[in-house]
């Protein structure tokens, strides 16, 4: 005869029934109750450590219990009011409770606000994003889920992040490549950003400055900030820029005439196509692509000069634009870099990718009140973009770039020695 050996279930206790009832009624309410109970346990342990056992007589105690009061702590992006114990020292002064101080830190709420705003949740919808509209966890005035409270927290935390970002030490970074690009946010507001690539192929947002235009003074302020934070101006590096003359001028002034500068080939081609009629686009694009794929810089330059000569009669301005900055367009070819590495470093795609993240992060901003607001938002976007950065595709070939930059630097620094003829 078979026997049922499954043990009979024991009757549920009242506490378990109550807990399951809380879950069925509202999971939010259950989490809140469980969290408050855990916090009460930790606070009571802190109080016991300071005051000794309740109703005990301990001559060595440092403080004594002083009743209870109500205070606010963070919960789901807002605040809730809970009861907490008070403790006073033997000198009559209030003694802080470590577990309460940790729970009450405002930074938790700031991180909620910043995270939601970076993923494009507007401040008007912040309360709905952190509290269920039909939930039974109240959000009365003062709970910190209003649009103004979320905005204040974002401003405070983004300002702190901006300050840390702009003061970070760069001396430990082995940067081989620095890309510089501008972002136009208004008629009289331009932000210029720098992003670096180290010897392992890792990408690092470096700095950000504001200006009315993308001129030499604005770029110089950016470069001065990099140098002041530990970027050694004597180390050979490749600078990739979008084509503005002010960028090249400021780079040579700061890092010397031997600095290797590569103009973005994509920007250059786009500027040329915008000035030509459509019937010339295919042929012109084909010649430019052929020149940039060549391994010989002299042959590439010859191709581009022939293109400019053919266009000179009908489109003299475009021909002059093609020849303008020709040396800087072919820098990666003159350095004799492998093709895969050339494709990665011949344009500002790394910076453009970061700018795309910044535009996504800031798309809810309808009006830029001042440069400070723009700096905070764009810096937050750069930090957000950094989370998704991958290593440079051709990172295994960066040792070739390092050797080529050093050889280029040595070659540019050699000065001809004047021969002195002695009189007979």
């Amino acid at each position: 005869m078979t026997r049922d050996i499954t043990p009979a279930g024991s009757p549920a206790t009242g506490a378990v029934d109550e807990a399951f009832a809380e879950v069925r009624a509202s999971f939010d309410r259950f989490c809140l109750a469980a969290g408050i109970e855990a916090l009460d346990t930790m606070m009571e342990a802190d109080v016991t450590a300071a005051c000794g056992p309740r109703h005990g007589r301990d001559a060595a105690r440092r403080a004594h219990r002083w009743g209870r009061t109500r205070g606010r702590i963070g919960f789901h992006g807002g605040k809730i009011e809970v009861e907490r114990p008070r403790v006073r020292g033997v000198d009559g002064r209030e003694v802080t409770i470590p577990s309460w101080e940790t729970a009450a830190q405002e930074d938790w709420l700031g991180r909620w606000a910043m995270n939601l705003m970076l993923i494009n949740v507007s401040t008007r919808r912040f309360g709905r994003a952190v509290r269920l509209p039909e939930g039974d966890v109240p959000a009365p005035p003062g709970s910190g889920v209003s649009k103004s409270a979320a905005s204040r927290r974002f401003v405070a935390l983004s300002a702190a992040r901006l300050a840390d970002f702009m003061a970070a030490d760069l001396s430990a970074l082995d940067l081989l490549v620095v890309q510089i690009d501008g972002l136009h946010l208004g008629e009289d507001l331009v932000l210029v950003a720098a992003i670096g690539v180290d010897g392992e192929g890792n990408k690092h947002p470096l700095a950000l400055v504001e200006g009315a235009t993308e001129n030499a003074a604005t770029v110089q302020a950016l470069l001065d900030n990099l140098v002041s934070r530990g970027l050694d101006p004597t180390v050979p590096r490749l600078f990739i820029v979008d084509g503005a003359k002010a960028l090249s001028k400021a780079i040579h002034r700061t890092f010397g005439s031997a600095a290797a500068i590569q103009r973005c080939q994509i920007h250059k081609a786009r500027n040329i196509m915008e000035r030509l009629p459509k019937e010339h686009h295919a042929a012109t694009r084909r010649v430019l692509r052929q020149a940039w794929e060549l391994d010989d810089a002299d042959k590439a330059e010859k191709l581009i000069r022939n293109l400019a000569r053919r266009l000179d009669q009908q489109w003299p301005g475009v021909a002059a634009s093609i020849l303008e900055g020709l040396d800087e367009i072919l820098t990666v070819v003159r350095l004799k870099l492998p093709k895969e590495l050339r494709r990665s470093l011949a344009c500002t795609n790394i910076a453009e990718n970061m700018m795309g993240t910044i535009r996504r992060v800031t798309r809810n901003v309808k009006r830029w009140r001042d440069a400070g607001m723009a700096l905070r938002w764009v810096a937050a976007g750069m930090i957000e973009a950094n989370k998704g950065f991958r290593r440079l595709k051709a990172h295994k070939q960066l040792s070739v770039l390092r050797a080529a930059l050093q050889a280029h630097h040595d070659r540019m620094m050699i000065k001809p020695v004047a021969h002195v003829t002695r009189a007979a």
Side-chain angles (χ1 to χ4, degrees):
M1 171 179 137
T2 58
R3 215 170 30 165
D4 187 6
I5 59 174
T6 304
S10 58
T13 64
V16 174
D17 284 340
E18 186 179 347
F20 276 110
E22 287 279 2
V23 173
R24 282 193 294 269
S26 167
F27 189 70
D28 264 5
R29 173 67 67 180
F30 169 72
C31 291
L32 176 59
I36 291 175
E37 184 177 353
L39 180 60
D40 279 341
T41 302
M42 291 189 292
M43 287 192 294
E44 186 58 36
D46 290 339
V47 172
T48 302
C51 305
R54 188 178 292 275
H55 307 300
R57 295 183 178 277
D58 186 358
R61 67 180 182 180
R62 298 177 290 108
H64 52 88
R65 292 172 174 82
W66 197 260
R68 300 180 73 84
T69 186
R70 301 190 69 80
R72 291 183 176 183
I73 59 172
F75 178 75
H76 276 205
K79 294 179 181 180
I80 55 168
E81 198 172 71
V82 298
E83 197 175 66
R84 67 174 180 88
R86 295 181 69 187
V87 175
R88 290 206 173 185
V90 293
D91 59 355
R93 296 182 180 179
E94 188 90 11
V95 175
T96 59
I97 302 173
S99 53
W100 172 260
E101 291 297 315
T102 302
Q105 281 181 354
E106 191 76 15
D107 186 49
W108 291 100
L109 302 182
R111 280 187 275 176
W112 268 89
M114 189 163 190
N115 181 63
L116 289 177
M117 293 179 76
L118 288 177
I119 59 175
N120 297 124
V121 175
S122 66
T123 55
R124 293 178 183 274
R125 297 181 179 179
F126 181 83
R128 185 175 177 181
V130 298
R131 301 285 175 89
L132 291 173
E134 67 276 8
D136 62 349
V137 176
S143 59
V145 297
S146 65
K147 63 178 183 179
S148 57
S151 179
R152 284 194 300 270
R153 293 193 192 105
F154 178 81
V155 169
L157 190 55
S158 60
R161 294 277 179 91
L162 173 64
D164 293 341
F165 173 62
M166 291 299 293
D169 184 21
L170 303 179
S171 59
L173 296 180
D174 177 29
L175 296 177
L176 288 180
V177 179
V178 176
Q179 288 196 8
I180 302 174
D181 203 0
L183 179 66
H184 293 256
L185 296 178
E187 186 176 346
D188 295 319
L189 180 58
V190 176
L191 299 186
V192 181
I195 181 172
V197 181
D198 63 22
E200 299 295 323
N202 299 310
K203 302 163 188 174
H204 305 271
L206 299 177
L208 180 70
V209 297
E210 80 283 6
T213 59
E214 198 172 344
N215 55 22
T218 304
V219 180
Q220 189 64 55
L222 176 75
L223 299 179
D224 289 344
N225 177 268
L226 296 177
V227 173
S228 67
R229 289 162 51 201
L231 189 68
D232 188 351
T234 63
V235 175
R237 295 184 183 86
L238 177 65
F239 293 87
I240 307 174
V241 299
D242 62 0
K245 293 181 181 179
L247 294 176
S248 300
K249 182 179 178 181
I251 289 170
H252 284 307
R253 184 186 299 121
T254 305
F255 296 94
S257 58
I261 300 176
Q262 170 67 43
R263 270 198 200 188
C264 178
Q265 294 176 348
I266 294 177
H267 277 86
K268 187 68 173 180
R270 186 185 302 149
N271 293 340
I272 293 170
M273 297 305 150
E274 287 175 352
R275 299 181 62 181
L276 279 175
K278 289 185 178 179
E279 58 265 24
H280 293 288
H281 283 192
T284 303
R285 191 178 289 110
R286 184 170 55 251
V287 172
L288 292 175
R289 188 180 299 113
Q290 182 182 358
W292 292 333
E293 290 293 327
L294 287 175
D295 295 326
D296 190 322
D298 293 333
K299 291 182 179 179
E301 183 177 342
K302 186 176 180 181
L303 272 178
I304 295 175
R305 289 189 180 278
N306 287 339
L307 172 64
R309 192 177 299 112
R310 291 197 299 271
L311 294 173
D312 185 57
Q313 186 173 1
Q314 290 183 313
W315 304 95
V318 178
S321 176
I322 292 173
L323 297 178
E324 192 269 325
L326 184 57
D327 290 341
E328 294 179 353
I329 295 173
L330 299 174
T331 297
V332 292
V333 182
R334 286 198 172 84
L335 291 175
K336 301 186 182 301
L337 302 181
K339 281 190 176 181
E340 186 180 2
L341 187 58
R342 287 210 311 257
R343 291 192 185 102
S344 298
L345 301 180
C347 58
T348 57
N349 275 357
I350 299 173
E352 290 293 335
N353 178 275
M354 182 178 68
M355 294 298 180
T357 301
I358 292 170
R359 292 186 183 95
R360 175 185 62 77
V361 166
T362 61
R363 69 184 180 188
N364 281 343
V365 180
K366 307 304 180 186
R367 181 175 66 89
W368 298 103
R369 290 193 297 272
D370 49 44
M373 175 186 178
L375 284 170
R376 287 189 291 97
W377 272 94
V378 174
M382 292 174 70
I383 296 170
E384 181 73 8
N386 190 37
K387 299 174 184 176
F389 280 157
R390 298 179 180 178
R391 285 209 291 182
L392 195 72
K393 284 185 179 180
H395 64 273
K396 294 181 179 179
Q397 300 173 345
L398 285 172
S399 58
V400 180
L401 173 63
R402 189 188 299 275
L405 288 172
Q406 188 62 56
H408 169 79
H409 182 268
D410 294 342
R411 187 168 58 252
M412 294 293 291
M413 294 302 291
I414 294 175
K415 297 180 180 179
V417 179
H419 295 279
V420 180
T421 305
R422 303 177 94 184

